[in-house]
Amino acid sequence: MPSISPHLFVVFGATGDLTRRKLIPALYHLMKSRESADNCFVLGTARSDWSDDTFREVARRALRDAGHPTDEVDAWCAQRLFYQCLGDSGTDIGALQDRIHRLEAEHSLPGNRAFYLSLPPSAYAPTIERLGDAGLNQSDGWTRVVIEKPFGSDLDSAQRLNDRIHRHFEEDQVYRIDHYLGKETVQNLLVFRFGNALFESLWNRDRIERVEITVAEDLGVGGRAGYYDQSGHLRDMVQNHITQLLTLVAMEPPAAMEADAIRQEKVKVLNAVEPLDIEEDVVLGQYRAGRVGETAVPGYREEEDVPDDSTTKTFAALRYRIANWRWQGVPFYVRTGKRLPTKLTQIAVRFRSAPVALFQPGGRPCVPGNDGCEAEPNELLITLQPNEGFDLRFEVKAPDNGMQSRGPTGNERMELATQQLSFSYEDAFGPVPDAYETLLRDIVTGDQTLFVRADEVEGSWQLYNPLLHTDALPVHPYRAGTWGPDAASRLLSTWTTTPREDPAVTAEPS
């Protein structure tokens, strides 16, 4: 694992919830690791008139609540955390610049800086311009800027944002962060595919019937209604998280296991995806009141801060076609939404059935797909949450218990049972690192593999832009606690994989 060089990690929006819940714990783990140099520091900045002590106390509470030893937390916060107010307008970049220079001089830092923009999207471009105008876009060491999704709200806004970023920062300085890419199972897709000849040789249209991606949330919008009602599920989940999963599953082997080679193959997938047919390939929905588990929940329009007449989409089912040599004719299905039966992120790769099914009632071979001929295909389930791991489903002969039925010839009919080989990350390696810790490590070590490149952002928006700027798509209602509207079930009529949180417990679509 590469060593972490001395640096100053500057967090814009340091008083926000993301900093407290995710960034501070991740930076704590990172700077306490064996790979980290002793002189790595965090400088928080925001409009709030906080002092160093105020910032440290907030961080202490967050780390104590996470179960870290009080003495270690107190010492780390006192030694590593600092705060600089940006003034009521949030534009006092000069004071921030002076504080950066003082801290670097006091602690003999070489000028390595990471600027993390934990800010509303509308503040990205102005903040980047202020950094550039103040000369903070370069230093004697390395300088990197980190931008949280969403990267724009459509193709035009994404292009404008990229243009403004590139006026002040080179692309190799820019880290567009999508926390889904920090999950161990997502990263391991590359190793799983390209490190195991067994699977890579099967990863094509000759052996795979279809690919299904489920990203289900059992929660509603919570306290994010103000943002979510302006974005909807296409912008909030599909354009970024789901599209990233799609490209990683479908990409070709890269020329080398390095950032630009991998990201280039992801862009090629986006360029090969056929335009979505609005009437045939897309179903959108919005949840109504219902029950998730044993809990009664309100409909989307009854959520706090949501307009009574809102048409914002909280569910999407989509069918993709990738027009290249590897995937021609293989459909990729996606189902994602809020207030679904369970929290689950899973990729199901369904392999083609054997050309002739031998083990059938009566003992006579038949061709799968014909009436009366059933043959369960092999299936690979890649689960990202809640329990990261892999499951490979296959057929075995059920034990003879003396109750086997007989076919027309008088011979006993062979009974088959579906079993699986399972791998759990936590069982094998212990608790899985938080995605933010993984991504922050890559930022300070200069690895852009898990970050989104400018042309990848624009290629993704290009795919969904027609859906964002049309009134032709109806918004179908669905009851909370179900798998979405009936129209989605019809779109996914060939979807027979049962999404599951635990492979032994099914959760039937509505």
Side-chain angles (χ1 to χ4, degrees):
M1 192 171 289
S3 60
I4 298 172
S5 58
H7 67 274
L8 184 63
F9 200 98
V10 183
V11 180
F12 284 82
T15 59
D17 186 58
L18 177 66
T19 302
R20 178 181 56 81
R21 289 189 306 107
K22 293 294 186 180
L23 299 185
I24 289 297
L27 288 166
Y28 175 80
H29 290 144
L30 198 58
M31 293 182 180
K32 296 279 288 183
S33 67
R34 290 177 296 179
E35 297 81 25
S36 180
D38 290 334
N39 47 347
C40 299
F41 302 91
V42 180
L43 175 60
T45 185
R47 291 183 296 178
S48 299
D49 188 18
W50 286 11
S51 64
D52 288 351
D53 288 340
T54 307
F55 184 45
R56 289 166 182 166
E57 182 55 33
V58 170
R60 284 190 191 102
R61 288 199 298 268
L63 292 170
R64 288 170 186 162
D65 290 346
H68 297 292
T70 299
D71 291 346
E72 292 183 14
V73 164
D74 289 349
W76 183 81
C77 290
Q79 296 167 7
R80 303 292 185 97
L81 299 189
F82 303 90
Y83 182 84
Q84 177 62 47
C85 176
L86 285 174
D88 292 340
S89 64
T91 59
D92 192 358
I93 205 76
L96 177 65
Q97 184 178 26
D98 291 342
R99 188 69 186 278
I100 288 172
H101 290 156
R102 291 203 308 273
L103 287 172
E104 289 179 340
E106 290 170 9
H107 298 283
S108 302
L109 297 179
N112 295 332
R113 304 165 184 163
F115 295 101
Y116 195 111
L117 307 191
S118 179
L119 297 168
S122 60
Y124 292 163
T127 302
I128 286 167
E129 289 188 343
R130 292 186 190 107
L131 289 172
D133 292 342
L136 290 173
N137 56 340
Q138 53 189 349
S139 68
D140 292 335
W142 49 256
T143 301
R144 294 160 190 157
V145 61
V146 188
I147 305 170
E148 277 273 351
K149 70 97 175 172
F151 318 116
S153 58
D154 58 12
L155 178 59
D156 184 57
S157 61
Q159 289 172 331
R160 291 199 308 269
L161 178 59
N162 280 335
D163 179 63
R164 295 180 76 175
I165 291 170
H166 291 152
R167 293 179 195 174
H168 302 283
F169 291 90
E170 299 295 329
E171 182 62 27
D172 63 5
Q173 295 178 280
V174 182
Y175 289 69
R176 298 173 187 82
I177 189 169
D178 184 337
H179 73 273
Y180 258 55
L181 296 186
K183 294 182 180 296
E184 287 293 324
T185 315
V186 174
Q187 299 173 68
N188 200 49
L189 276 173
L190 298 176
V191 177
F192 188 85
R193 284 191 54 193
F194 306 129
N196 296 290
L198 169 66
F199 289 104
E200 179 53 23
S201 62
L202 304 176
W203 215 260
N204 56 63
R205 60 190 173 90
D206 294 332
R207 296 290 181 264
I208 292 177
E209 178 185 304
R210 65 178 180 272
V211 178
E212 307 161 1
I213 301 174
T214 299
V215 181
E217 300 176 84
D218 55 357
L219 299 177
V221 292
R224 301 174 64 230
Y227 159 75
Y228 190 89
D229 198 64
Q230 299 299 314
S231 63
H233 217 64
L234 283 172
R235 290 184 173 94
D236 190 51
M237 289 293 292
V238 176
Q239 181 272 334
N240 38 72
H241 300 331
I242 288 171
T243 305
Q244 289 297 316
L245 297 181
L246 175 71
T247 58
L248 286 168
V249 172
M251 64 181 279
E252 294 294 324
M257 290 303 289
E258 58 186 29
D260 274 343
I262 292 170
R263 297 194 293 180
Q264 185 64 32
E265 295 304 329
K266 292 166 67 183
V267 171
K268 288 180 182 179
V269 173
L270 289 174
N271 292 338
V273 175
E274 295 182 1
L276 293 165
D277 186 312
I278 290 178
E279 295 183 356
E280 299 294 330
D281 296 331
V282 182
V283 172
L284 303 177
Q286 184 188 89
Y287 65 84
R288 298 291 188 258
R291 301 187 72 86
V292 178
E294 299 299 319
T295 305
V297 297
Y300 177 73
R301 294 180 183 178
E302 287 80 55
E303 300 276 14
E304 186 177 356
D305 297 329
V306 173
D308 294 340
D309 59 350
S310 174
T311 58
T312 296
K313 296 84 174 173
T314 65
F315 175 93
L318 305 103
R319 177 173 53 203
Y320 302 84
R321 300 174 181 86
I322 301 176
N324 63 16
W325 194 276
R326 183 184 290 264
W327 296 114
Q328 181 63 41
V330 178
F332 283 69
Y333 294 105
V334 160
R335 172 171 48 204
T336 177
K338 292 187 175 294
R339 294 294 191 201
L340 300 185
T342 187
K343 180 178 180 180
L344 176 72
T345 301
Q346 189 175 83
I347 301 164
V349 179
R350 188 177 179 90
F351 294 95
R352 297 190 184 279
S353 299
V356 175
L358 298 175
F359 309 106
Q360 296 301 304
R364 299 181 65 84
C366 62
V367 178
N370 291 349
D371 290 342
C373 184
E374 297 181 4
E376 290 295 326
N378 300 131
E379 203 160 46
L380 174 67
L381 302 178
I382 304 167
T383 304
L384 280 66
Q385 61 178 6
N387 303 310
E388 298 188 54
F390 301 86
D391 296 280
L392 180 62
R393 301 168 67 184
F394 55 93
E395 297 299 292
V396 299
K397 177 185 178 296
D400 184 355
N401 58 9
M403 299 294 291
Q404 305 281 38
S405 59
R406 293 182 179 274
T409 63
N411 297 325
E412 289 187 348
R413 186 175 70 194
M414 187 176 293
E415 298 289 346
L416 304 186
T418 301
Q419 298 296 310
Q420 58 198 26
L421 294 173
S422 298
F423 167 77
S424 163
Y425 267 95
E426 188 164 357
D427 289 347
F429 301 113
V432 177
D434 180 76
Y436 273 96
E437 182 180 345
T438 298
L439 295 171
L440 294 185
R441 181 186 299 276
D442 287 348
I443 291 164
V444 297
T445 57
D447 185 349
Q448 289 186 301
T449 302
L450 300 177
F451 298 84
V452 186
R453 207 168 62 183
D455 54 348
E456 191 176 349
V457 171
E458 294 177 15
S460 181
W461 281 121
Q462 179 77 50
L463 178 60
Y464 300 109
N465 221 46
L467 307 185
L468 301 173
H469 299 288
T470 180
D471 296 324
L473 278 167
V475 182
H476 300 273
Y478 65 97
R479 184 166 48 85
T482 68
W483 284 102
D486 292 340
S489 298
R490 290 191 291 271
L491 171 65
L492 307 174
S493 59
T494 58
W495 186 314
T496 58
T497 297
T498 305
R500 62 199 67 209
E501 179 179 350
D502 182 317
V505 180
T506 62
E508 293 292 341
S510 62

